[in-house]
Amino acid sequence: MRRLVSETRVHPAELILPLFVREGATEPAPIGSMPGVMHHTLDSLKRAATEAADAGVGGVMLFGVPLTRDATGSQASSPDGILNLATEALVAEVGDAIVVQTDLCLDEFTDHGHCGVLDSRGAVDNDATLERYIDMALSQAHAGSAMLGLSGMMDGQVDAVRAALDEEGFVETAILAYSAKYASAFYGPFREAVDSQLTGDRRSYQLDPGNRREGMREATLDMSEGADVVMVKPAMSYLDVLADVAAMSDIPVWAYQVSGEYAMIEAAAANGWIDRRRAIEESLVSIRRAGADAVLTYWATEVAGWLK
């Protein structure tokens, strides 16, 4: 009876699995602060994506970890860069069964760890960064990515990338805008996952955690610039923002259950303090209940298996 009258459900197709591929890796290696999450080789990446597709997961979001970095993140747009090579490999392997998406941001590729190009004062240069995002977008589209995850939070990034894609004929390449992306403490384990070189923080371009209306404004701007999907990130500590955006949006709204949210539940469960499966399921239901049409979560494949 409870199942029959449940208002909110989670379906495997509404889950998206983030994956990390590391250049030069000869075997998959665990990420210490994210139990169960791996740095993949190209071969293990394809296996993980195939497993996700077989479980009915809706998509994968790919992050690349390069061997070399520089001030402008040149490897991010190189056809031979790890992210673009991995994208080609996944599209060939599972592109007909699952939506292959790619992270479009410079932080993994810069030697300073910021999401953009720095000016002479050490601040992020918004307009110079947009030019790099355009290069990345075209490289990822050529590699076969079906959806570009614009996560850098630069002003005008959706408009710039959409115009460049359309001009080059990539009119069917979709844009996922990380619109309400907050300067959160819950990204900590992700920094290990991408071997971030960042010192300091990104508060000059990510949103203030105290600002609810700003999340709505950013989502509205991205929608007006041509985003196909808008994102709220993190998920669980910003359910109010997620509900606000979902209530007004006429396009899909997604949420990212970030690394810190994942790590806290895993750590508490490992200590026997909470019921792991129930906590995972409840966390995802809460995000869907707040209005997310889909959720990026590191548990995507495992949860999809439970739901079958």
Side-chain angles (χ1 to χ4, degrees):
M1 180 66 75
R2 290 172 68 87
R3 181 179 64 184
L4 179 65
V5 299
S6 178
E7 298 175 31
T8 304
R9 305 175 194 277
V10 178
H11 187 277
E14 299 160 351
L15 304 176
I16 298 143
L17 177 67
L19 290 169
F20 302 96
V21 58
R22 188 168 195 128
E23 185 177 13
T26 56
E27 59 184 27
I31 298 170
S33 57
M34 299 176 69
V37 181
M38 310 294 286
H39 280 133
H40 285 287
T41 66
L42 284 175
D43 286 340
S44 69
L45 182 77
K46 289 188 286 187
R47 291 194 296 270
T50 299
E51 183 182 3
D54 290 343
V57 169
V60 292
M61 175 62 76
L62 187 57
F63 297 87
V65 185
L67 281 173
T68 59
R69 298 174 168 89
D70 56 33
T72 61
S74 59
Q75 284 297 302
S77 52
S78 169
D80 297 324
I82 184 59
L83 181 56
N84 294 318
L85 289 177
T87 302
E88 289 182 355
L90 282 198
V91 170
E93 190 79 10
V94 295
D96 292 334
I98 199 167
V99 180
V100 176
Q101 306 162 51
T102 45
D103 179 60
L104 198 158
C105 192
L106 288 173
D107 59 323
E108 299 102 305
F109 299 93
T110 56
D111 56 11
H112 47 73
H114 276 287
C115 298
V117 179
L118 303 184
D119 62 19
S120 59
R121 300 175 294 116
V124 173
D125 185 324
N126 192 97
D127 291 350
T129 299
L130 293 184
E131 294 302 315
R132 291 294 299 122
Y133 285 3
I134 288 170
D135 291 342
M136 285 186 71
L138 295 177
S139 297
Q140 292 180 7
H142 277 290
S145 177
M147 179 175 284
L148 312 183
L150 275 60
S151 62
M153 289 297 291
M154 297 297 120
D155 292 340
Q157 62 183 10
V158 173
D159 185 59
V161 168
R162 183 73 270 162
L165 290 172
D166 290 352
E167 186 176 344
E168 290 294 314
F170 294 108
V171 294
E172 294 185 354
T173 303
I175 290 178
L176 162 62
Y178 286 53
S179 300
K181 181 178 180 180
Y182 285 82
S184 172
F186 292 102
Y187 303 145
F190 181 89
R191 304 276 168 85
E192 178 188 354
V194 296
D195 190 23
S196 175
Q197 305 301 298
L198 180 70
T199 56
D201 57 56
R202 300 186 175 117
R203 289 185 294 176
S204 64
Y205 46 97
Q206 294 178 354
L207 304 188
D208 184 332
N211 290 0
R212 180 173 179 172
R213 291 190 299 270
E214 188 177 13
M216 283 275 288
R217 185 167 67 250
E218 291 286 348
T220 301
L221 284 169
D222 286 345
M223 291 166 63
S224 71
E225 292 179 12
D228 299 287
V229 181
V230 290
M231 176 91 86
V232 175
K233 178 183 179 182
M236 292 173 65
S237 49
Y238 295 87
L239 293 178
D240 57 337
V241 178
L242 174 58
D244 289 345
V245 174
M248 67 84 179
S249 178
D250 58 1
I251 63 174
V253 178
W254 294 359
Y256 199 141
Q257 188 176 44
V258 299
S259 59
E261 298 170 62
Y262 173 90
M264 287 192 300
I265 290 177
E266 288 289 355
N271 279 282
W273 298 333
I274 58 174
D275 181 314
R276 179 178 181 272
R277 176 165 173 170
R278 286 187 62 193
I280 292 169
E281 292 174 333
E282 185 177 334
S283 71
L284 289 169
V285 166
S286 75
I287 297 166
R288 288 277 291 114
R289 189 185 65 242
D293 297 295
V295 184
L296 277 76
T297 176
Y298 300 98
W299 289 301
T301 302
E302 183 178 9
V303 171
W306 297 344
L307 295 171
K308 277 196 169 183

